[in-house]
Amino acid sequence: MPSSLVGGEQQLTAPEAFSRPANAAQSYTPFNTMKIQDMEQFYDQIPRMPLVLETHDVYHQDWIRFMNDLALAWAGKMPIPEFTRGPLPKRSTLIADLIDLWNSSFFLTRRVEVVLFKGHERRSGANVGTIDFNLPGLNPDSDDDSSSSTSDSESEPDRYAGYGRGVDLAESRRRRKEKKEEKRRRRREKKLRKKAKELEKTYTLYLTYVYPRDVPGPTQHGYYA
């Protein structure tokens, strides 16, 4: 991890959102788990705030601050004095801790939880280490490769009915077709296995709805002044 993570001269101030109580008048609309963005994309762009968060007392400036801090941490440019000495944390660990801090200090009281996943494995929050196979946007079989090529070989026996070798010819074509389909199937499976391995190594940010419940108090970290 770049030394700029801890080499900043000025620690970031605590987000204003942490000191703003949740607005009880908001509707806090339930929503399905949604993918925000892969962490590697933070190098190039900051994801927009999902519209549903407007009903959860989340302001655009809250979201922008959170996303910018995540981008700084992922790029190794977030100044954190507590790591000026000693071993540096992995950036995935830093991101998970930062997400947990924002959740406990802001999002959970608004019935929202931001979660970091590595592939299907949860890497932040109370349920860290659990596997979720139903994450949106994490299906390697997203490309529908059902190219069912229609062939006229089915009618070959009738077409060559007047010839002694008609049935043999139709059988030969059927076997060739099956071999081609088998090759396509193997290529597709190989491509899907490769894509699945890549996805399991990818860190991704998700947004989930939290049903009304008691939430823990704010977590103390040295990330902000």
Side-chain angles (χ1 to χ4, degrees):
M1 182 176 295
S3 60
S4 56
L5 172 68
V6 297
E9 296 181 358
Q10 184 175 359
Q11 188 177 14
L12 297 178
T13 59
E16 294 182 5
F18 287 8
S19 60
R20 192 178 79 244
N23 184 357
Q26 289 280 357
S27 59
Y28 298 99
T29 306
F31 58 89
N32 295 325
T33 298
M34 64 180 72
K35 178 180 177 180
I36 299 175
Q37 185 170 282
D38 292 342
M39 292 305 303
E40 288 298 316
Q41 293 179 287
F42 275 82
Y43 287 119
D44 302 316
Q45 63 183 11
I46 298 297
R48 295 181 179 180
M49 187 180 85
L51 291 178
V52 71
L53 291 186
E54 293 181 356
T55 69
H56 286 255
D57 191 37
V58 178
Y59 301 162
H60 282 276
Q61 55 265 36
D62 303 329
W63 182 259
I64 293 172
R65 171 64 192 272
F66 180 40
M67 293 295 108
N68 281 331
D69 287 358
L70 288 179
L72 283 173
W74 189 252
K77 296 179 180 179
M78 189 174 186
I80 306 176
E82 70 176 85
F83 296 124
T84 52
R85 296 181 180 84
L88 303 180
K90 293 182 179 179
R91 62 178 181 175
S92 58
T93 301
L94 178 60
I95 289 293
D97 287 346
L98 195 58
I99 290 173
D100 289 344
L101 174 60
W102 270 82
N103 282 332
S104 63
S105 302
F106 180 70
F107 285 117
L108 286 176
T109 57
R110 289 160 174 80
R111 301 183 193 177
V112 173
E113 184 178 12
V114 179
V115 185
L116 178 69
F117 276 87
K118 181 181 181 182
H120 292 89
E121 182 183 355
R122 183 173 178 138
R123 288 301 186 94
S124 68
N127 297 318
V128 63
T130 58
I131 305 298
D132 188 342
F133 290 107
N134 298 314
L135 292 173
L138 199 62
N139 181 11
D141 197 14
S142 56
D143 298 328
D144 188 7
D145 191 22
S146 58
S147 54
S148 57
S149 56
T150 58
S151 173
D152 57 356
S153 61
E154 296 176 0
S155 59
E156 294 295 345
D158 292 334
R159 178 179 297 180
Y160 296 97
Y163 297 88
R165 299 182 65 248
V167 176
D168 292 339
L169 180 61
E171 179 66 15
S172 176
R173 294 195 174 188
R174 183 185 66 80
R175 290 177 179 176
R176 287 200 301 270
K177 178 184 177 183
E178 289 179 349
K179 287 183 179 180
K180 289 181 179 179
E181 291 177 347
E182 178 65 15
K183 287 182 179 179
R184 283 197 297 267
R185 184 186 66 81
R186 290 180 179 179
R187 285 196 300 266
R188 183 168 180 267
E189 288 181 351
K190 184 178 180 180
K191 181 180 179 181
L192 290 177
R193 286 195 298 269
K194 182 179 179 181
K195 186 175 181 181
K197 288 182 179 179
E198 292 174 351
L199 288 175
E200 290 304 322
K201 297 178 182 178
T202 301
Y203 285 93
T204 307
L205 215 59
Y206 284 88
L207 192 70
T208 64
Y209 174 75
V210 177
Y211 290 91
R213 65 179 183 182
D214 294 330
V215 297
T219 303
Q220 299 298 323
H221 275 296
Y223 296 112
Y224 301 112

